[in-house]
Amino acid sequence: MDDDRSSPTDSQPPPSKRQRTLACRRCRSRKQKCEDNRPCANCVKSVEDCIPTAPAPRPHVETEYVRVLEERIAQLESLDPQQSLDHIRENANLAPALDGSGRAPSRIDAVTASVAIYREPSHRRTSGTTDMSFGNAFAAGQEEEDNDHLILGLVASPSAPRHEHGLSVSDASPIAHFGTSPEQEYTRHSLIESMPTELERVLLEAYRERAQAQYPFLHWGSFLQWHSEWKCCPRGDFKSRSWQGFFVNLVNATSLLLLRRPHVGHSDAQTFYRNGISLLPFVLERPDKILHIQAYLLLAMHALHQSSTERIISLASTTMRYCVQQQLHLSETEPIASDPFICLGIQVRRRCFWCAYKFDRLVMSSFDIPPSIPDAMITVKTFANINDDELLHTATGTPSEFQSSDSPHYTCVSSALHILQCRRIQSEISAITLRWDYEMQFENAPEWRIRILAELENYKSRVQKYSDPCSKGYTSQRWLAMIYHYTLLMLYRPTKESVLGPAGDWSVQASSQACLMFRKTQMDRQIAQPWLGLLVQFQSGITLLYCFWATPPENRTDNYDSLDVPDALRACSNIVAIMADRWPKAEVLRDVFELLAREIPLVDRPTRPPIRLSEKTVTTIQAKLPQVRALIVHRSILRMIEEMISESFPRFRNEGQIPRSSSGTSTCMLPPNVASLADRDVSTASANMMFQLPFSAQQQYNLRGSGVVSQDLNAEGPLEFPGMFDFDSWG
């Protein structure tokens, strides 16, 4: 009877467990519930590509790698028996969780587990496999991980010994040991070898137009030769040409980020990046130090389009310090130009240093931190305004005792030189604003700002002469104009006291134009939405909101009522929202900006003036502030946010008010003494000196008379905004 009552399925094996389907990439990034069908309903509704999330790889520790690492550990411990890695075993509560087999972990297991814990994000440290080799841990992912620059600094630091205990870098480096089997070497090469010609052309053109145009540290003809030699090299030459493979793979990885295409064929940007990183030790093994700097700069180009503030700052410092270590900042250390090829090498050397300088100053201005080297210590000349394919020919026709002169026409490096000159001006501004006595000695002093304005007038004149009006993206006049307006924004950092003077009017105009121009350039689909671009636009939007928060209506100039202001706020909101959709890390910036923009009115209601931000908004922003601080770093912007959420609207002031301007306009000209100074500088500059850097002599500003302008400046009143970068009126 019992048998009859038994279920007919009791004797059958239990059904197999249904395979769990991972959410698609879009749903995962937006933290939405996804379904099993592809495309999912969310992607169909938003008309987006439904890209499945690849399952996490199951890395393993290769036998040969384990053997070599154990021998290395034994060798090091034999030098000092007291120094061993046995202390890692003290983490007994972690070992079983990492292993899961119940056995006592070996020394190599402990090292591997320790690295895996270090690399895993906090929300994933309690689950998933962690038997990850050091090489896999280093190369796994860039978007979610912010600490790989630390491992890069330890393993591939320029100051690290290249030959220790008889081992070359390719033998001692964990990066090099990862994936150095002949099969994996062939895989890294075959990915480039099998790439269709048309796709190869698209990637190379993308890098040249969007990265090389701004940072021309690679001589393009030489790089194309490296690309061809690596692609066509026989299998037996892989090791000798692996350094070329690093540059080819990193350029492809960066190009995919620039094009915002995560996948291409059977590979993606992350695969190219991992392949390139595994070949980095072969670059550092080369005796040519310029190759090392080019490698670090290429890593910096990749980092600029990843959402890691820490990685960008550390790479900027590392690259510039290495240039200083090799004394590239000094003209007296350059080789003697005895033949055309040495002349070409000198130009590449200068390009490397000044690209590192531009990157360092970009980080300096974006985060309001000191530069890696003062401008007064730099003596090397800028690189020549000459096309890559004409460099060798020009060097051949130039006597050795003369410098290669600039081309009188627009070239492939003209835009890079324009940006370099603007970064130099920004560096001069930071040299003043970062001083400890800035507020006491320089905040209200006009002399140094007048000198800056004169150089910016020269900058506009150079752009008008050496630019392509039909160009878009990073070489366009609009992009150069945006950098110009952001430089103007650096001249004043408004506070509750200074915003009532020219700082408020100045900041409203400069920040509005910076946001509008970035948005127009973004709409052209010719830029790659760099991470620092997001941070700078967020800073511009916060500055604009702060001016309206801190300035009572009776103290506002006509520029506060400009139609550009609401357009600029909408543009900034769109910029942050679009980039937050790409980078989940930026969602906190989007949320903070939207909350402030909703609570701070552009026009005060006479019957109900604003008092404070709502308690709900303040609580929400305060909870997000630690994340904002980690991303923004900029102390002035953080001060503005904290003041807006912690203090009342600065209204009902009865003293120190500045009357509302009846002539405040965005098209006003320079004061007469500034304009004459700018005209004098432009008229005396010869054609072959147009790209020399400003401030060739370090300026010593004296508040009682700098010698730059006459002392009747105070009679002219406060400095007026110098006008827009009106490239539309150029013929």
Side-chain angles (χ1 to χ4, degrees):
M1 295 292 292
D2 293 338
D3 293 340
D4 294 339
R5 290 193 299 266
S6 63
S7 172
T9 60
D10 287 348
S11 60
Q12 298 178 1
S16 59
K17 186 177 180 180
R18 186 174 68 88
Q19 182 69 28
R20 183 170 62 91
T21 303
L22 298 176
C24 69
R25 291 193 173 189
R26 183 178 182 277
C27 292
R28 187 174 184 178
S29 65
R30 299 172 68 88
K31 299 181 180 179
Q32 292 179 328
K33 184 177 181 181
C34 194
E35 57 188 17
D36 296 346
N37 298 331
R38 292 289 178 270
C40 68
N42 293 330
C43 292
V44 171
K45 184 177 180 180
S46 59
V47 196
E48 296 283 349
D49 293 335
C50 188
I51 303 174
T53 302
R58 298 183 62 86
H60 64 280
V61 180
E62 298 180 4
T63 305
E64 180 65 15
Y65 170 73
V66 173
R67 183 188 64 79
V68 172
L69 187 55
E70 286 180 335
E71 291 178 357
R72 176 69 171 154
I73 292 173
Q75 180 186 15
L76 293 175
E77 290 185 349
S78 66
L79 300 177
D80 186 359
Q82 300 298 323
Q83 300 295 328
S84 69
L85 296 179
D86 291 338
H87 63 278
I88 296 181
R89 295 182 179 177
E90 296 175 3
N91 239 342
N93 59 327
L94 291 178
L98 290 172
D99 188 2
S101 63
R103 62 181 174 84
S106 64
R107 180 173 293 129
I108 183 62
D109 291 332
V111 174
T112 304
S114 176
V115 173
I117 292 175
Y118 174 69
R119 293 286 297 144
E120 281 290 301
S122 58
H123 66 279
R124 291 188 295 182
R125 288 178 182 170
T126 58
S127 62
T129 177
T130 52
D131 99 319
M132 181 182 292
S133 69
F134 190 88
N136 276 329
F138 171 77
Q142 294 82 50
E143 182 59 26
E144 298 298 330
E145 307 293 347
D146 285 345
N147 292 323
D148 62 350
H149 66 283
L150 300 176
I151 301 180
L152 176 65
L154 292 173
V155 176
S157 171
S159 60
R162 297 285 174 250
H163 297 276
E164 182 178 1
H165 303 296
L167 294 175
S168 68
V169 65
S170 57
D171 295 327
S173 173
I175 302 178
H177 266 296
F178 168 63
T180 55
S181 65
E183 291 76 13
Q184 289 170 328
E185 283 183 349
Y186 179 72
T187 301
R188 286 198 294 263
H189 176 265
S190 63
L191 189 62
I192 305 298
E193 184 183 37
S194 61
M195 184 179 294
T197 304
E198 181 62 21
L199 177 59
E200 177 183 288
R201 183 191 65 80
V202 170
L203 294 181
L204 291 177
E205 194 65 22
Y207 182 86
R208 186 178 186 182
E209 290 181 354
R210 303 190 182 191
Q212 177 76 2
Q214 296 184 90
Y215 297 90
F217 56 88
L218 293 173
H219 180 253
W220 196 244
S222 299
F223 170 73
L224 292 180
Q225 183 178 355
W226 300 348
H227 189 286
S228 176
E229 290 174 351
W230 171 250
K231 183 176 181 178
C232 302
C233 76
R235 192 163 183 171
D237 293 345
F238 284 172
K239 187 170 184 179
S240 62
R241 296 195 180 277
S242 289
W243 65 273
Q244 296 173 331
F246 165 82
F247 288 98
V248 174
N249 278 282
L250 256 295
V251 165
N252 286 336
T254 307
S255 296
L256 289 174
L257 296 179
L258 292 168
L259 293 171
R260 288 176 283 166
R261 292 176 55 184
H263 294 275
V264 53
H266 299 290
S267 188
D268 55 20
Q270 187 174 340
T271 301
F272 282 120
Y273 179 82
R274 284 200 303 262
N275 290 344
I277 283 295
S278 66
L279 298 173
L280 175 60
F282 295 98
V283 179
L284 302 179
E285 205 174 32
R286 305 282 297 181
D288 187 357
K289 303 301 182 183
I290 299 299
L291 279 180
H292 302 179
I293 296 172
Q294 289 174 322
Y296 278 93
L297 285 168
L298 191 50
L299 289 171
M301 297 302 100
H302 185 272
L304 280 175
H305 299 88
Q306 294 287 310
S307 59
S308 176
T309 292
E310 291 183 4
R311 184 186 298 117
I312 292 173
I313 293 176
S314 61
L315 273 173
S317 177
T318 300
T319 305
M320 179 55 83
R321 286 295 181 182
Y322 193 35
C323 288
V324 173
Q325 179 182 336
Q326 303 305 321
Q327 299 185 349
L328 267 62
H329 63 298
L330 301 175
S331 60
E332 54 267 29
T333 61
E334 290 184 342
I336 299 175
S338 56
D339 64 65
F341 288 98
I342 294 180
C343 292
L344 175 61
I346 291 174
Q347 290 298 320
V348 173
R349 171 190 171 105
R350 291 180 181 178
R351 286 189 182 189
C352 287
F353 172 76
W354 286 114
C355 286
Y357 176 94
K358 286 169 61 178
F359 182 46
D360 183 75
R361 267 39 180 188
L362 171 63
V363 170
M364 172 206 71
S365 60
S366 299
F367 299 108
D368 200 33
I369 57 178
S372 298
I373 177 176
D375 291 292
M377 296 182 179
I378 301 173
T379 60
V380 66
K381 294 183 178 295
T382 58
F383 53 91
N385 181 42
I386 303 175
N387 284 311
D388 282 16
D389 54 358
E390 299 174 355
L391 269 175
L392 189 59
H393 175 75
T394 303
T396 304
T398 304
S400 59
E401 62 271 18
F402 294 101
Q403 296 283 340
S404 297
S405 55
D406 291 335
S407 169
H409 307 291
Y410 174 77
T411 72
C412 66
V413 297
S414 294
S415 297
L417 285 165
H418 291 318
I419 298 174
L420 171 59
Q421 291 173 326
C422 218
R423 299 296 181 212
R424 175 65 185 88
I425 296 172
Q426 292 175 0
S427 184
E428 183 77 4
I429 296 173
S430 294
I432 300 296
T433 57
L434 292 177
R435 288 176 58 115
W436 67 271
D437 58 347
Y438 167 73
E439 293 184 0
M440 297 182 293
Q441 300 292 332
F442 292 94
E443 184 173 22
N444 298 317
E447 292 88 348
W448 66 277
R449 290 190 177 94
I450 290 175
R451 178 66 177 174
I452 297 294
L453 292 176
E455 287 296 344
L456 284 173
E457 285 297 302
N458 289 338
Y459 168 79
K460 288 198 291 185
S461 300
R462 298 184 193 103
V463 172
Q464 183 175 4
K465 184 175 182 180
Y466 294 94
S467 61
D468 180 6
C470 299
S471 177
K472 294 184 178 181
Y474 296 112
T475 59
S476 67
Q477 293 175 347
R478 180 181 289 122
W479 185 262
L480 299 173
M482 187 202 69
I483 299 176
Y484 164 85
H485 283 98
Y486 185 70
T487 305
L488 290 178
L489 186 59
M490 292 178 63
L491 281 174
Y492 288 102
R493 291 299 183 191
T495 63
K496 288 186 295 183
E497 292 73 28
S498 66
V499 75
L500 300 180
D505 181 82
W506 194 287
S507 299
V508 166
Q509 296 181 73
S511 57
S512 296
Q513 294 305 312
C515 292
L516 290 172
M517 290 184 176
F518 188 94
R519 180 59 182 148
K520 290 178 182 178
T521 307
Q522 188 184 51
M523 291 169 63
D524 290 338
R525 299 182 181 273
Q526 296 294 319
I527 62 172
Q529 300 180 4
W531 178 246
L532 292 188
L534 165 64
L535 302 185
V536 167
Q537 292 307 306
F538 177 82
Q539 294 167 11
S540 301
I542 291 296
T543 303
L544 186 56
L545 290 174
Y546 180 84
C547 290
F548 279 87
W549 174 84
T551 308
E554 60 271 16
N555 298 120
R556 297 176 184 177
T557 64
D558 291 343
N559 292 305
Y560 282 79
D561 301 328
S562 171
L563 295 178
D564 286 343
V565 171
D567 288 346
L569 289 174
R570 281 192 296 269
C572 187
S573 178
N574 290 334
I575 291 166
V576 178
I578 290 172
M579 291 192 173
D581 192 52
R582 178 185 179 186
W583 288 310
K585 189 180 299 185
E587 291 178 357
V588 63
L589 303 181
R590 177 200 63 198
D591 296 343
V592 169
F593 183 81
E594 292 296 338
L595 288 169
L596 291 173
R598 186 181 63 182
E599 295 260 349
I600 298 175
L602 300 185
V603 179
D604 286 6
R605 296 167 58 183
T607 59
R608 191 178 177 183
I611 305 298
R612 288 181 68 93
L613 301 185
S614 67
E615 194 65 34
K616 182 178 179 181
T617 295
V618 170
T619 303
T620 304
I621 294 178
Q622 285 177 339
K624 297 177 182 294
L625 238 116
Q627 296 170 268
V628 174
R629 289 192 185 97
L631 298 179
I632 295 299
V633 180
H634 199 295
R635 57 176 183 172
S636 295
I637 301 302
L638 295 174
R639 169 186 56 79
M640 293 179 193
I641 296 175
E642 290 173 350
E643 287 182 10
M644 286 188 285
I645 65 175
S646 61
E647 301 180 18
S648 300
F649 281 76
R651 300 294 189 261
F652 310 109
R653 295 181 178 177
N654 297 319
E655 58 182 2
Q657 294 184 351
I658 297 178
R660 179 184 176 91
S661 172
S662 60
S663 61
T665 173
S666 61
T667 58
C668 59
M669 303 300 294
L670 286 171
N673 43 14
V674 181
S676 62
L677 179 60
D679 294 340
R680 183 189 67 193
D681 289 347
V682 173
S683 62
T684 57
S686 60
N688 63 344
M689 293 294 288
M690 289 299 287
F691 283 102
Q692 292 304 311
L693 289 176
F695 311 107
S696 56
Q698 187 72 8
Q699 298 295 321
Q700 298 295 331
Y701 297 106
N702 185 348
L703 299 182
R704 296 183 179 178
S706 64
V708 177
V709 293
S710 60
Q711 285 303 300
D712 61 354
L713 173 69
N714 291 331
E716 303 286 344
L719 288 182
E720 295 181 348
F721 193 76
M724 300 305 170
F725 198 105
D726 190 16
F727 52 84
D728 292 331
S729 65
W730 296 348

